[in-house]
Amino acid sequence: MRTDLLIVGGGPAGLNAAYKAASYGLKTIIVDKWFSLGGQLRQQTQSYDHLPQHFAKLRGYKLADFLIDRLKPLDVTILEKHTLIGAYSDGSVGVTNEKDILPIDAKNVLITTGAMEEPDIFPGWTLPGVMTAGAAQILINRERVLPGKQALILGSNEFALEVAAQLHDCGIAIKGIVENRSELLCQNEKLIARISNAEIPIVLNGVIESAIGKGKVEEAYVNHNGNNALYDVDLICVAKGITPILEPFEVMNCDLIYRERLGGWLPEYYGNFETTNPSIYVAGNAAGITNMGGILLTGEIAAISAVESLNAASTVQIKEEKEYLWNELYRIEYNSVLEARLDVINELHNEKDAQLPPLVDSLNGRLING
Amino acid sequence: MKKSYDVIVIGSGVVGSSIAYHLSESKSKEILTIDKDFPLSGTSGSTQAWVWVHNKTPAWYGELNMYSAELYPFLERKIGDVEYKRTGGIAPFFSESDRENALRLAEKQAEVGIKVEVLSRDEVLEKEPALSHNIAGATYSNIDGNVNPFRLIELYVRAARKNGAEFSFYNQVIDISKENGMFKVTTQDGEYFSNQLVLAGGPWSKSMGKLLGVDVPIKQVRGQIIVTEPLSPLLTHTIGGMRQADNGEVLVGYSKEEVGYDRRSTLDIIQDTARMAIDFVPALEKANVVRCFSGIRVMPEDGFPILGEIPGIENGYIAAMHSGITLSPLVGTLMTELLVDGETSIDLERYSLKRFNTIQSIG
Amino acid sequence: MHITHHPVLKKDERKEIKFFFNDEPLKAKVGQSIAAALMANGIKKFGVSRKLHQSRGLFCASGRCYSCFLTVDGLDHVLSCSTLVEEGMEVYSNLSDPDVRRGKNEN
Amino acid sequence: MDKSTIVCRCEEINIDEIESAINMGAHTFNDIKRLTRCGMGPCQAKFCMNLVRKIISEKTGQSLKDIKPPRMRVPLGVTRMSALASNKASSVASVFGESAEEGETDHEEEL
């Protein structure tokens, strides 16, 4: 199978990239490991605030539908239930559906495999009933199954609170949000107010000492300021943040770099979102953990880079697209994330003695000057 | 850490660790082993780890392997459980026309005391029912087996340390020279001196030899292996191409590519290897493959070990070979004899680096 | 338990199907993963770990942690969070290492 | 935390075992992996990666940016052998071929 652009991962970054690339006539294939496209959006019932101008405010799963529906008239081949498995020595990549391996000879590959949830450990964390917050969210919103009746949430970032609120709305009693620091990580006031209105207890300076139960979680000890309290819970959701998924980049021979503010290890990339392996691009959370606006925009920038590499648009069009997208990124992405992202880009351009795209260079200045 | 030793061994793979351990048993030497990484990070940690004898040819080379395999039970009593199992080895063939070669192999190996049987299809399947009904027969010997390489090397190092030998890991050797009759080994962490020096660098032996002005004629050969999930007991023998480990994982692989030190796994070879797994053991088609790995094998240009003194370098020694896992107990023993007594109980003349005639200069 | 009245999503109109877990008939909805269908029936323990024989169940629901292995229609170690449940499917707990020689492919 | 707390869910390796490997001198994830089997199970270190890196950092004082993730390999996720073998007719050479010729020297048994 031959294609102009192979997109690995059909979440928001990949879908948005596919739309942009195919709009410029690139023959595009999307592979996604799941039964349906949309990635994490599939189970997000909340809507997003900071979206690019060309997106309407939608709930996550509706945004997924929108991104998928607008691909229909375009030359995009969708391979669901397919995963990237490795690379052949001739440079083509193999994707598998667990029955066959399909070699794909792609002029460009864009990897938008997103991020994974970080676990946290305590005695008993392997018991059934302890799961990632994302898993609990998948159960209620995609599977429509209640994962438990009474729950503890471990972690207090925005996602932890969002899932706590959603579980609560589905009728699960949230017995506490346990955070080992002295303050909440989440800074979204609206969300904090929702938690407060729902009368969900917040346990700061708290750690889960252990989860216990026969065959599944039945109780958990929480240490709060040195005192142990026993909680009667059958669900513990771990929400300790997310980190870019790395393994596709390693098999594609892309160099990695560490940036704590971007979620840990991630592939190195240039200002056009190309990794150190030519024609392999990265976007979305795989290129550093960001917000939904950042995910969508980086997908689009990477797509434009692929379009540019194949001379599928005029220089003027490319320039206009990039200007708009980077300015939007500057407007929408958290400063700390954009700074770290630019730092990754600057470092690679320096290392390889490659010229920075003028736009990226000007953003450097704008960030410094505030 | 001291600065001066009787012996410095460079390389802490299965060969270097075995030499360090066996030398430490002699209680007569102060030993330092230096490795640029950590034991098992190179060839010795990326192997199926067969202890394999029966079709090593010519017979005199098979004999060397046999002696080493015979040492394993004794080694295990001294350093601990390395999961050595003398499972017997089966090398299947798929065409009746191969039987003649098999019979000739059995005849040759018998001359040095290696007992090789040539089995019919039914005999093979009786021994190993999971094998394919498409095989024509196999050579078999009860001397073959396998070992857990992770345990083997860990226990070599632990036992050597217990005997007082020292190890320095993550410490790259940068230069080797001679000063006042002693070797001066310069590493990224400092300088060390020794009377005797052993190069045990596996696939990196060539660049080590260069530091002494000696050409070590070896090639690097990549082998890619696939590993299944732990499975219920399936294979009881070591099969030419695969084995089932103690924990139930089945390791499969028989590829070789000359690609330098590139240790990537490629889908081409992995797919070939998977095909081979199913050709040998059809039931494996249902097995989940969990991971693949590759190792860079050492391959002396003529295929045989390079063992003994380095010509022209007084008190300099080398041990570089393929089959390091099989040969390590014997090589450790012989090198200890050589370093301590100056002579060996098995003549190593045939394995000398001299045979290549490639000395460039005296370092 | 199935969520019948979701606070945001529309009414669940997915068709009901029957499957078996350890020979016991259970109900599921079309489009659910096997793991979710079991959780809907209050089953959280899917098997035991191989070394310490501790209970295991759904953890990441994303096909990455492999804690939710089950035997499905005779095939051992199927990833139940990313396999859809089907009418009449026979699912069993994961209690031991896969036996690849069992069943129809035995040679 | 209790040192017997599991870090690697797949191979059930606990904090104590990882610390022992570090004490033996292993300072990278890959080296700890070979000594302990931590990260060698079906998830291939996807979940223990950062947990182990944190333990290494705490025990050795190395900064997290200097502690690399473990090597990740084909097939990226657990895959059936039958899928891997698809579209392939021939298999790689067998060990028997090595001994077929007298004096054949390309021994390759310990892959």
Side-chain angles (χ1 to χ4, degrees), chain C residues 8-61:
Chain C
V8 177
L9 305 169
K10 304 190 294 257
K11 193 163 165 265
D12 189 356
E13 281 165 351
R14 294 176 295 180
K15 214 181 106 198
E16 201 160 80
I17 51 173
K18 192 170 79 175
F19 74 110
F20 300 88
F21 180 63
N22 294 338
D23 300 321
E24 187 198 338
L26 298 173
K27 282 172 184 162
K29 295 283 178 76
V30 171
Q32 271 178 335
S33 68
I34 299 167
L38 289 175
M39 301 277 290
N41 286 279
I43 295 160
K44 291 186 175 177
K45 176 178 171 177
F46 292 3
V48 293
S49 64
R50 58 183 310 271
K51 196 163 93 180
L52 304 174
H53 298 273
Q54 292 174 342
S55 306
R56 288 295 160 90
L58 186 75
F59 179 70
C60 81

Side-chain angles (χ1 to χ4, degrees), chain D residues 57-76:
Chain D
S57 174
E58 281 163 8
K59 287 283 284 182
T60 67
Q62 292 177 82
S63 153
L64 280 171
K65 74 174 173 14
D66 297 323
I67 305 170
K68 294 204 168 91
R71 196 181 269 269
M72 287 157 270
R73 298 275 201 178
V74 174
L76 294 190

Side-chain angles (χ1 to χ4, degrees), chain A residues 161-216:
Chain A
L161 268 56
E162 182 65 54
V163 172
Q166 291 181 10
L167 291 172
H168 168 86
D169 292 348
C170 286
I172 294 175
I174 310 295
K175 298 284 187 161
I177 293 174
V178 181
E179 169 58 52
N180 60 353
R181 302 186 207 204
S182 55
E183 54 186 11
L184 284 179
L185 290 174
C186 175
Q187 293 177 0
N188 180 334
E189 295 300 332
K190 260 168 44 191
L191 198 47
I192 295 171
R194 247 172 96 198
I195 295 295
S196 165
N197 290 340
E199 295 179 355
I200 295 173
I202 288 170
V203 185
L204 298 173
N205 302 310
V207 289
I208 295 184
E209 285 281 313
S210 62
I212 41 185
K214 199 167 181 296
K216 59 190 178 203

Side-chain angles (χ1 to χ4, degrees), chain B residues 21 41 54 68 74 123 163 169 216 229 231 267 313 348:
Chain B
Y21 160 68
S41 58
H54 94 252
S68 196
F74 302 99
E123 286 167 332
N163 287 337
F169 302 133
V216 181
E229 280 190 283
L231 305 175
L267 212 38
I313 310 280
L348 292 181

